[in-house]
Amino acid sequence: MNDATELPIVEDELSLLNDWVGLNDQNIIELGCGAAKLSRELLKRFPRSRVTGLEVDRIQHEKNLLNPQEGLTFLAAGAQEIPFPDATFDLAIMLKSLHHIPVELMHQALGEIARVVRPGGKLYVSEPVYAGALNSITSIYNEERVVRIEAQRALDAAIAGGKWVQTNEIRFDSTSYFRNFEDYEKKQMHATFRENAVTPEILERVRKAFEPHCGPDGVTFRRPQHVRLLQRI
């Protein structure tokens, strides 16, 4: 079963990003890089670029350090306090990470990004939209309505502050496939950065919400996304 939507499907955000900004010979910072899947693939396709991945989750950062890659540097730091000089980077990337910054620090983080991105440089922000069947399931144990709204408000405020101008924007769907509920639980419910307590009662509620969507061949959910590209003035 699939979620009905009229939005186009985009599975490869790296190609979208390259179409918008060009990724050859770039000095890039990814804020909240997680396992750095995008950055690792970026360097495979564009090996003359360099990427610094910042991550606040200690467990994930330690995993990243155990898997080095040429051109990729990892630091344990948050977007609200970036340990680099002014105008260091050509491009900053926030892939589903802005809404994870505490709301009271979002403005500071976007100010820090403006500081370390050179004039004319870009900020690519990809955020999940609070909508869709999968979102309804996930919100049982990880409610993100407020923080996703605040992330967009923070971007609007950063633009209004005069340091950024928005140059591009797109809404699309990505997809997520799960073989069964156990596959969903493994992939979605135990992220190391998340401090939600999944009790047996919550787990059962999530199972009951998930299983009506799942057929003998599993389920593919469509996940709405909102991407904005800002340029440093």
Side-chain angles (χ1 to χ4, degrees), residues 125-144:
V125 182
S126 179
E127 279 287 300
V129 175
Y130 193 81
L134 185 60
N135 183 78
S136 297
I137 295 167
T138 303
S139 64
I140 295 172
Y141 63 93
N142 185 37
E143 174 56 63
E144 291 187 337

Side-chain angles (χ1 to χ4, degrees), residues 33-73:
C33 66
K37 181 179 178 181
L38 181 87
S39 289
R40 292 182 185 280
E41 182 60 29
L42 188 157
L43 289 171
K44 289 178 182 178
R45 297 191 205 178
F46 307 97
R48 293 201 302 263
S49 288
R50 303 167 305 285
V51 180
T52 300
L54 267 59
E55 179 55 54
V56 296
D57 176 16
R58 178 185 58 80
I59 295 174
Q60 182 61 64
H61 176 63
E62 290 175 355
K63 289 180 179 179
N64 291 341
L65 293 177
L66 293 173
N67 186 19
Q69 182 174 336
E70 186 174 355
L72 182 57
T73 302

Side-chain angles (χ1 to χ4, degrees), residues 112-170:
E112 272 288 272
I113 297 169
R115 182 183 64 78
V116 300
V117 171
R118 64 171 176 79
K122 304 294 178 58
L123 168 60
Y124 178 92
V125 182
S126 179
E127 279 287 300
V129 175
Y130 193 81
L134 185 60
N135 183 78
S136 297
I137 295 167
T138 303
S139 64
I140 295 172
Y141 63 93
N142 185 37
E143 174 56 63
E144 291 187 337
R145 183 183 65 84
V146 171
V147 293
R148 294 188 192 183
I149 291 172
E150 291 298 331
Q152 297 300 331
R153 288 177 176 170
L155 286 172
D156 291 338
I159 294 168
K163 293 183 178 180
W164 298 103
V165 59
Q166 182 167 297
T167 60
N168 221 328
E169 181 177 27
I170 187 173

Side-chain angles (χ1 to χ4, degrees), residues 66-137:
L66 293 173
N67 186 19
Q69 182 174 336
E70 186 174 355
L72 182 57
T73 302
F74 292 111
L75 290 177
Q80 64 270 20
E81 194 170 341
I82 302 174
F84 286 95
D86 296 358
T88 298
F89 298 98
D90 303 305
L91 170 67
I93 299 173
M94 301 193 81
L95 192 69
K96 331 301 179 191
S97 61
L98 179 55
H99 70 279
H100 289 299
I101 296 174
V103 171
E104 65 273 15
L105 295 177
M106 287 181 182
H107 178 74
Q108 178 179 328
L110 291 169
E112 272 288 272
I113 297 169
R115 182 183 64 78
V116 300
V117 171
R118 64 171 176 79
K122 304 294 178 58
L123 168 60
Y124 178 92
V125 182
S126 179
E127 279 287 300
V129 175
Y130 193 81
L134 185 60
N135 183 78
S136 297
I137 295 167

